[in-house]
Amino acid sequence: MIYLVSHNKSLFKTDKYVEATMEQAMSVLLPLKLCQLDSETKGLDCHTKDLLTIQLGNRDNQVVIDWTSITKEEKQIVKDYLESDRLFLGWNLMFDLTFLYVQGIYPKHIWDGMIVEQLLYLGYPASMREKSLKAAAWNYLNINIDKTVRGKIINDGLTTEVVIYAAGDVSYIEDIKEKQDIEVEKQGMKLAVELECEFIKSLA
């Protein structure tokens, strides 16, 4: 189920997701110990481009938070959640963290599937194994993620199509992690993964 937290009522004219208050969204998110994390932005530079959405969830439920329209109090709720002791799973989290840091949000515990994939295939030719989320979803889950919407976000901003796309990016990472964990264990790389993921925060 996809939930949207937004005060932009024009985004609610669809049956593809459910309108939710921040309190309702938190009732879905608070039980999670592992939470998938992603964001959508108006560009690549965190200092000059806007943060559009923050996506949180798991394989069953995804919450898309319209950062451009929620209140200061609601943003504090999101900040408190992201700075909790939960483990947040993402892909190329260094990018997302830069935008969160500008907002004064500092997640404590992160796991980056892209970094794990790079460690697992370190030393192999780059062309042998693409490291994108789309590639990982195909390689590990045999799922083809449609990423064509991503190119529209800079010009179109937050639309119904973008909300659905954004939710999709926090649907598969936990399942990919389970597959990667098996390979990490085989190669004795658990400590390397922990160190590299911790370093991402400083690098961001």
Side-chain angles (χ1 to χ4, degrees):
M1 179 73 72
I2 300 173
Y3 299 89
L4 174 68
V5 179
S6 175
H7 297 295
N8 181 359
K9 298 303 179 183
S10 66
L11 294 172
F12 298 140
K13 298 175 182 178
T14 180
D15 59 358
K16 298 184 182 299
Y17 46 75
V18 175
E19 174 185 357
T21 64
M22 184 62 73
E23 289 73 20
Q24 290 169 330
M26 284 297 130
S27 71
V28 172
L29 295 173
L30 284 172
L32 303 182
K33 299 301 181 185
L34 297 179
C35 183
Q36 299 179 55
L37 165 65
D38 190 32
S39 65
E40 302 302 333
T41 69
K42 285 286 283 182
L44 301 178
D45 184 355
C46 63
H47 298 291
T48 61
K49 303 301 180 182
D50 293 331
L51 174 63
L52 285 180
T53 65
I54 294 175
Q55 299 92 258
L56 299 164
N58 63 4
R59 60 174 67 93
D60 299 316
N61 297 295
Q62 303 85 44
V63 175
V64 180
I65 300 169
D66 177 7
W67 194 256
T68 66
S69 75
I70 62 172
T71 66
K72 181 178 179 181
E73 290 73 22
E74 289 170 329
K75 289 181 178 180
Q76 183 63 47
I77 293 172
V78 177
K79 173 180 167 68
D80 292 342
Y81 185 82
L82 286 169
E83 293 181 349
S84 69
D85 286 331
R86 292 171 180 82
L87 179 63
F88 291 96
L89 317 179
W91 208 269
N92 190 20
L93 277 175
M94 189 180 76
F95 174 81
D96 304 284
L97 288 179
T98 61
F99 278 85
L100 292 179
Y101 289 174
V102 169
Q103 302 297 324
I105 299 172
Y106 300 91
K108 296 178 184 176
H109 308 293
I110 64 168
W111 177 94
D112 190 326
M114 187 184 79
I115 294 298
V116 176
E117 196 74 349
Q118 290 174 338
L119 285 169
L120 289 173
Y121 289 89
L122 191 63
Y124 290 90
S127 59
M128 178 179 173
R129 185 84 168 186
E130 188 181 343
K131 309 305 189 300
S132 68
L133 176 59
K134 178 179 175 67
W138 179 257
N139 291 330
Y140 289 107
L141 309 176
N142 202 30
I143 293 173
N144 185 23
I145 300 177
D146 184 0
K147 305 293 284 187
T148 57
V149 175
R150 182 168 57 181
K152 301 179 182 179
I153 296 173
I154 291 177
N155 293 322
D156 297 348
L158 194 58
T159 64
T160 296
E161 189 179 25
V162 170
V163 170
I164 297 167
Y165 163 81
D169 278 354
V170 289
S171 300
Y172 307 113
I173 300 174
E174 187 174 350
D175 292 332
I176 294 171
K177 181 182 186 298
E178 289 178 358
K179 302 287 187 180
Q180 287 181 323
D181 283 349
I182 296 171
E183 296 302 315
V184 167
E185 187 68 26
K186 284 181 182 178
Q187 296 189 36
M189 300 179 71
K190 185 177 178 181
L191 180 58
V193 168
E194 292 174 355
L195 290 172
E196 292 288 349
C197 287
E198 182 67 18
F199 179 64
I200 291 169
K201 296 186 293 183
S202 299
L203 193 59

